[in-house]
């Protein structure tokens, strides 16, 4: 074709793009069976050929450019505009009813509430940001606050629109964040595992792991090979002309209009009875549904009511995930081995003949402690019933004693640590502990924990052990002084892999204070507690100073420090945090980390609320929210709610039919707020 054909070619390119987009929608959104791959492929091929001759009409956001871009060195962190939350689970209809009772109590009165039901996909949560109709960023959930930018990989998913233009909606939002689940179909997983088996690679245990693994590929071409899909389920930070959706069901309708696949079963239910009908109906369809699911998500449909109900901890109160009952299977316990944890506690672990349960292959499960083994009456060689629900860790629930042969062996806790030979001690409650502070097993587990919190993915357990055995590292701080030359000299490590390891370590030296504290492995300090501490103190120095302050009362730990005043932190955490930071070895380890270039980044201290220092009294009935919600909102903003009116009260909030508190407030000259005024200052 000659260049002079350009005038004729450009409209053909545009038409082809529009037709390809239409076919894509028909296939992914309408589930139209009459769209064949052949037609789609043929049109795409023609478009590609035209663009090779006429590169001036190329467009980075056009559908044929889904798999573009070079492999990345690493993923960049992105802060979510609003936190990506989790869901509370309900494992029975009774728990669902309890959830509804709480919802109705909090909303006040016995009002009718519509619920929206949709399938809970078992994949990976992702966030997609569109500005002026163009996909500008796609990210993983991460810890809910900060995720990783995986735009290039998400663009390879055909069911994610790259551009909202041209779908018959003239008025797409100026700005929209779409949240949903990246999923892999059961069929694709089967094919992928067949291929992996042939090539001698490890098999994926379930569709969720396969989806997550695919999106973690630094090379988008590899991610594309996995043929992932996407289902949208939520909208955030919407900026658009005209009226915004007032119900979650309308958000779903908007998502569909904008070109996103949504759960085809979703439905509005007028009461819990209808919700249960939905759950039972989908339970029948579920085995044949092409994607992995682990339950049904139920939400209060009205968005204003959602706002009133708010969020508690990590999960909204207006939503709940109903989880289908666990699946059970039988297998044989081939052995019980001991795992020495990073705090020295010995945990028995059952090793099974690998078996399939709830969609994934299970080969081991923790038995927690000796008491648990005795309670189950479990012996090595026993046939057992194991249970697994969705993403819950499998557990042994029963021993099938009738299948015993007499050859089964009783399990005994070892007297000496199998790793360092130190005599095992009986610790708190039911725990057995290896008391040796330098036990290599503890150290190994600690290293694994440390690199996983620092997200140094290149250093898996095997590599860590190898580095230790070769004397390249003695503790976690040494990781940061590793050199490429040290690694590439080791057998089976080439120049390229050494380079990748060093590059990744280098890129992870800066870490938010919350993760730094979590990585330290302080007893009882997990991800959430570490965040609470980091948000309270802001810097490591302030936390260390507070933890090492001498006791004020001399009698109770509570007098020790400011740590005690942090919400959610109890005496056990207080003790372990103060013990940790008063141990010279730990302080030296932190110094070594800092010397080796690790930077625990300052965190913004939680702001004092707008109501800090203000005391409220509530009287009468509020029409738009229950008293409990009003109380929570005040406390959430730093205020206090008192039972009686005095001169120290800043505001009395008066609903309908206020009691004597209203009169007292008038007498004392305390400011009285109507419900409307109260809502305004909220
Ligand atoms: S709603 C508040 N809807 O479930 C956050 N989540 O257990 C929940 N999920 O991280 C968003 N299907 O990845 C919602 N239809 C659905 C879902 C869904 C799967 C996942 C999501 C979330 C997790 C929470």
């Amino acid at each position: 074709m000659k260049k002079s054909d350009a005038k004729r070619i450009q409209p053909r390119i545009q038409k082809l793009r529009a037709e390809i987009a239409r076919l894509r929608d028909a296939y992914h959104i309408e589930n139209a069976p009459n769209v064949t791959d052949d037609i789609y492929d043929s049109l795409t091929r023609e478009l590609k050929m035209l663009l090779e001759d006429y590169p001036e009409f190329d467009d980075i956001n056009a559908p044929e450019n889904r798999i573009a871009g070079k492999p990345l060195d690493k993923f960049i962190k992105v802060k979510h505009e609003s936190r990506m939350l989790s869901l509370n689970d309900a494992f029975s209809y009774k728990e669902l009813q309890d959830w509804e009772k709480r919802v109705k109590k909090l909303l006040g009165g016995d009002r009718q509430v519509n619920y929206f039901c949709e399938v809970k996909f078992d994949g990976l949560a992702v966030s997609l940001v569109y500005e002026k109709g163009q996909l500008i960023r796609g990210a993983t959930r991460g810890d809910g606050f900060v995720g990783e930018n995986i735009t290039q990989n998400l663009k390879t998913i055909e069911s994610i629109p790259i551009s909202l233009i041209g779908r018959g909606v003239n008025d797409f939002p100026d700005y929209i964040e779409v949240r949903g689940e990246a999923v892999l179909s059961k069929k694709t997983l089967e094919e992928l595992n067949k291929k992996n088996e042939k090539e001698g690679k490890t098999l994926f245990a379930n569709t969720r792991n396969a989806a997550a693994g695919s999106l973690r590929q630094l090379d988008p071409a590899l991610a594309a090979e996995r043929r992932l899909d996407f289902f949208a389920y939520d909208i955030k930070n919407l900026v658009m002309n005209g009226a915004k959706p007032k119900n979650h069901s309308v958000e779903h309708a908007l998502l569909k209009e904008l070109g996103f696949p949504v759960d085809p079963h979703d439905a509005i239910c007028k009461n819990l009875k209808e919700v249960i009908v939905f759950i039972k109906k989908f339970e029948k369809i579920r085995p044949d549904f092409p994607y992995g699911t682990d339950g049904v998500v139920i939400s209060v449909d009205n968005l204003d009511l959602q706002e009133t109900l708010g969020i508690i901890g990590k999960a909204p109160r207006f939503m709940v995930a109903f989880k289908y009952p666990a699946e059970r299977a039988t297998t044989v316990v081939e052995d019980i081995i001991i795992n020495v944890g990073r705090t020295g506690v010995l945990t028995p672990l059952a090793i099974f003949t690998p078996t399939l349960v709830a969609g994934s292959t299970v080969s081991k499960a923790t038995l927690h402690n000796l008491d648990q083994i005795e309670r189950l009456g479990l012996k090595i060689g026993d046939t057992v019933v194991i249970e697994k629900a969705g993403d819950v860790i499998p557990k042994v629930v029963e021993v099938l004693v009738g299948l015993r042969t007499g050859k089964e062996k009783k399990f005994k806790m070892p007297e000496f640590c199998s790793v360092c030979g130190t005599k095992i001690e009986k610790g708190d409650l039911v725990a057995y502990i290896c008391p040796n502070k330098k036990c290599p097993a503890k150290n190994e587990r600690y290293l694994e924990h440390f690199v996983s919190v620092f997200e140094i993915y290149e250093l898996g357990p095997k590599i860590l052990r190898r580095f230790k055995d070769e004397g390249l590292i003695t503790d976690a701080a040494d990781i940061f002084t590793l050199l490429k030359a040290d690694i590439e000299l080791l057998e089976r490590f080439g120049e390229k892999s050494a380079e990748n390891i060093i590059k990744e370590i280098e890129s992870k030296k800066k870490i938010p204070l919350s993760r730094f504290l979590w990585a330290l492995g302080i007893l009882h300090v997990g991800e959430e507690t570490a965040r609470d501490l980091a948000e309270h103190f802001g810097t490591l120095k302030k936390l260390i100073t507070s933890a090492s302050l001498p006791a004020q009362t001399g009698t109770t730990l509570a007098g020790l420090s400011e740590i005690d005043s942090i919400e959610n932190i109890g005496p056990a955490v207080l003790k372990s945090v103060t013990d940790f930071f008063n141990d010279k070895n730990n302080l030296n380890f932190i110094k070594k980390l800092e010397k080796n270039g690790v930077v625990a980044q300052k965190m913004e201290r939680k702001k004092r609320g707008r109501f800090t220092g203000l005391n409220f009294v509530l009287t009468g009935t509020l029409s738009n929210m229950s008293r409990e919600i009003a109380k929570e909102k005040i406390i959430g903003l730093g205020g206090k709610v008192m039972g009686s009116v005095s001169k120290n009260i800043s505001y009395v909030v008066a609903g309908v039919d206020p009691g004597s508190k209203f009169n007292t407030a008038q007498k004392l000259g305390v400011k009285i707020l109507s419900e409307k005024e109260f809502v305004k200052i909220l």
Side-chain angles (χ1 to χ4, degrees):
M1 259 175 275
K2 278 184 269 147
K3 290 270 164 189
S4 55
D5 290 337
K7 256 200 184 146
R8 191 172 51 80
I9 295 301
Q10 191 179 17
R12 174 79 184 161
I13 288 178
Q14 277 167 350
K15 283 248 164 69
L16 281 170
R17 277 187 182 137
E19 184 60 9
I20 291 169
R22 194 188 66 77
L23 290 176
R24 187 205 75 97
D25 280 8
Y27 184 82
H28 290 288
I29 298 145
E30 313 299 339
N31 279 325
N34 55 347
V35 176
T36 70
D37 286 355
D38 296 353
I39 300 172
Y40 186 88
D41 290 348
S42 169
L43 295 178
T44 312
R45 222 175 305 125
E46 181 189 342
L47 180 60
K48 275 201 176 143
M49 272 164 60
L50 288 179
L51 287 168
E52 267 168 31
D53 288 338
Y54 296 88
E56 63 269 38
F57 301 134
D58 206 0
D59 171 4
I60 183 75
N61 279 329
E64 67 278 8
N65 279 333
R66 284 186 177 273
I67 312 166
K70 290 194 204 101
L72 301 170
D73 286 337
K74 61 170 179 147
F75 294 113
I76 309 282
K77 290 264 174 322
V78 281
K79 198 166 179 311
H80 296 298
E81 240 169 284
S82 49
R83 184 177 181 182
M84 287 184 80
L85 299 162
S86 323
L87 287 175
N88 287 328
D89 294 325
F91 288 102
S92 63
Y93 297 145
K94 163 83 178 54
E95 285 185 22
L96 213 52
Q97 279 153 359
D98 291 344
W99 169 74
E100 184 188 44
K101 261 190 217 146
R102 279 195 303 276
V103 163
K104 293 219 163 161
K105 189 171 166 218
L106 290 165
L107 291 177
D110 199 18
R111 67 167 85 204
Q112 195 262 330
V113 177
N114 274 354
Y115 300 109
F116 186 72
C117 292
E118 58 195 296
V119 164
K120 187 169 188 298
F121 294 98
D122 202 13
L124 194 77
V126 294
S127 135
L128 306 168
V129 177
Y130 291 82
E131 217 173 68
K132 299 197 167 62
Q134 301 294 324
L135 175 65
I136 57 156
R137 196 191 81 189
T140 59
R141 176 182 184 275
D143 66 0
F145 295 95
V146 177
E148 281 180 324
N149 187 330
I150 52 162
T151 316
Q152 275 201 348
N153 285 349
L154 289 171
K155 271 188 172 178
T156 68
I157 303 181
E158 284 253 2
S159 44
I160 293 181
I162 295 179
S163 150
L164 304 179
I165 303 170
R167 16 214 89 257
V169 181
N170 300 323
D171 200 13
F172 58 80
D174 282 335
Y175 191 93
I176 185 172
E177 181 184 343
V178 174
R179 291 185 180 168
E181 201 86 346
V183 288
L184 194 92
S185 73
K186 294 175 189 164
K187 190 166 156 248
T188 312
L189 175 71
E190 220 172 274
E191 289 166 7
L192 191 65
N193 271 348
K194 258 189 210 150
K195 188 170 157 255
N196 279 1
E197 200 170 8
K198 250 193 212 156
E199 293 170 5
K201 292 186 186 157
T202 346
L203 307 192
F204 286 112
N206 51 38
T207 48
R208 177 159 30 95
N209 288 2
S214 309
L215 288 173
R216 284 214 55 82
Q217 299 285 342
L218 288 166
D219 183 353
L222 288 177
E225 276 176 19
R226 300 287 171 83
R227 285 179 289 126
L228 289 157
D229 275 307
F230 175 80
F231 287 92
Y233 52 64
D234 204 7
I235 289 178
K236 288 271 175 281
N237 309 309
L238 177 62
V239 182
M240 66 183 276
N241 287 330
K244 284 192 197 174
K246 288 200 176 331
N247 293 315
H248 189 44
S249 48
V250 179
E251 288 184 323
H252 263 236
L254 176 61
L255 284 168
K256 207 169 162 182
E257 247 179 79
L258 292 171
F260 294 93
V262 294
D263 168 28
H265 313 89
D266 63 13
I268 300 172
C269 296
K270 289 203 191 67
N271 49 46
L272 209 62
K273 229 172 155 188
E274 288 189 13
V275 169
I276 292 174
V277 170
F278 181 98
I279 292 172
K280 286 188 174 157
K281 214 164 122 191
F282 184 67
E283 193 169 8
K284 291 213 179 88
I285 306 171
R286 196 174 161 228
D288 298 320
F289 190 54
Y291 301 93
T293 58
D294 58 349
V296 169
V297 176
I298 302 123
S299 21
V300 169
D301 195 32
N302 182 296
L303 298 184
D304 284 338
L305 294 184
Q306 287 196 357
E307 167 99 28
T308 307
L309 287 163
I311 292 153
I312 279 276
K314 277 196 206 173
R317 262 196 305 220
F318 50 83
M319 256 183 188
V320 68
F322 176 86
K323 292 279 184 75
Y324 285 108
E327 274 183 36
R328 290 182 168 200
T330 58
T331 185
V332 173
V333 175
E334 293 179 352
D335 199 2
I336 297 178
I337 60 164
I338 291 292
N339 183 32
V340 186
R342 62 190 156 85
T343 51
V345 175
L346 268 53
T347 311
L349 201 69
I351 305 295
F352 307 132
T353 310
T355 185
L356 195 75
V357 55
S360 58
T361 306
V362 169
S363 60
K364 51 182 176 273
T366 174
L367 293 165
H368 301 289
N369 48 52
L370 194 58
D371 267 32
Q372 172 78 355
I373 296 178
E374 282 169 3
R375 225 175 294 133
L376 286 163
L378 175 68
K379 291 182 175 178
I380 299 169
D382 268 336
T383 303
V384 291
V385 176
I386 55 171
E387 181 180 281
K388 189 173 172 294
D391 50 5
V392 176
I393 299 161
K395 61 177 179 194
V396 177
V397 285
E398 198 187 333
V399 174
L400 299 177
V401 211
L403 293 175
R404 280 197 175 147
T405 60
K407 286 192 178 148
E408 294 74 18
K409 274 191 273 163
K410 195 168 160 32
F411 169 77
K412 259 179 49 197
M413 266 293 181
E415 270 182 64
F416 299 95
C417 174
S418 57
V419 182
C420 69
T422 307
K423 191 154 172 47
I424 298 300
E425 287 176 7
K426 183 107 176 42
D428 285 357
L429 306 166
V430 289
Y432 284 79
I433 290 181
C434 166
N436 176 10
K437 277 195 174 173
K438 295 212 156 85
C439 173
K442 275 190 212 177
N443 200 267
E444 247 174 53
R445 289 297 99 69
Y446 176 66
L447 279 174
E448 287 163 20
H449 163 79
F450 184 92
V451 295
S452 105
V453 177
F454 266 75
E455 298 180 342
I456 306 175
Y457 300 108
E458 294 278 342
L459 297 182
K462 271 194 197 144
I463 300 189
L464 284 172
R465 195 168 321 135
R466 178 88 189 277
F467 285 6
K468 268 199 81 194
D469 293 347
E470 300 277 356
L472 290 186
I473 53 174
T474 53
D475 63 18
D478 291 335
I479 290 172
F480 299 96
T481 52
L482 281 169
L483 298 173
K484 188 177 149 209
D486 295 333
I487 302 170
E488 66 190 10
L489 285 180
L490 301 181
E491 208 183 318
R492 291 202 304 277
F493 280 91
E495 194 189 333
K496 186 79 197 146
S497 62
E499 195 179 304
N500 286 346
I501 292 174
I502 296 298
K503 236 192 208 165
E504 188 174 38
I505 294 173
E506 201 51 43
S507 72
K508 300 291 165 76
K509 279 185 171 169
K510 278 194 190 140
I511 185 166
L513 177 61
S514 55
R515 296 183 75 82
F516 182 88
L517 294 176
W518 182 23
L520 289 178
I522 307 166
L523 188 65
H524 305 310
V525 179
E527 187 176 10
E528 284 282 306
T529 308
R531 177 174 291 281
D532 289 338
L533 287 167
E535 282 180 347
H536 183 87
F537 288 100
T539 65
L540 184 62
K541 203 168 158 204
K542 287 207 178 104
L543 168 59
I544 295 179
T545 315
S546 172
S548 51
L549 281 182
Q552 285 159 12
T553 64
T555 50
T556 59
L557 272 169
L560 262 176
S561 73
E562 197 185 328
I563 300 169
D564 182 46
S565 69
I566 307 173
E567 217 181 312
N568 303 330
I569 288 194
V573 178
L574 174 65
K575 180 167 172 0
S576 58
V577 172
T578 42
D579 282 356
F580 186 90
F581 289 110
N582 281 294
D583 182 331
K584 254 206 183 124
N585 291 323
N586 295 332
L587 295 178
N588 285 339
F589 173 64
I590 292 173
K591 268 194 204 135
K592 185 169 167 187
L593 281 171
E594 288 174 335
K595 195 175 132 246
N596 293 353
V598 174
V599 179
Q601 289 167 311
K602 233 170 133 173
M603 289 202 32
E604 223 170 274
R605 297 183 67 169
K606 243 192 197 159
K607 288 188 194 79
R608 280 156 57 89
R610 274 185 291 120
F611 287 180
T612 306
L614 300 180
N615 299 326
F616 288 74
V617 167
L618 301 170
T619 178
T621 312
L622 301 177
S623 50
N624 281 314
M625 64 180 93
S626 70
R627 218 170 239 246
E628 267 156 88
I629 296 254
K631 208 165 155 183
E632 235 172 52
K633 301 228 165 186
I634 294 170
I635 295 169
L637 288 168
K640 282 194 182 140
V641 180
M642 306 300 212
S644 57
V645 184
S646 70
K647 273 197 183 147
N648 297 331
I649 298 300
S650 329
Y651 296 107
V652 169
V653 180
V656 182
D657 291 337
S660 61
K661 291 173 189 167
F662 184 87
N663 300 336
T664 320
Q666 272 185 328
K667 252 188 240 158
L668 295 176
V670 174
K671 185 146 179 48
I672 299 173
L673 297 177
S674 67
E675 182 172 348
K676 212 168 157 193
E677 286 166 322
F678 173 59
V679 170
K680 211 166 164 191
I681 65 165
L682 276 180

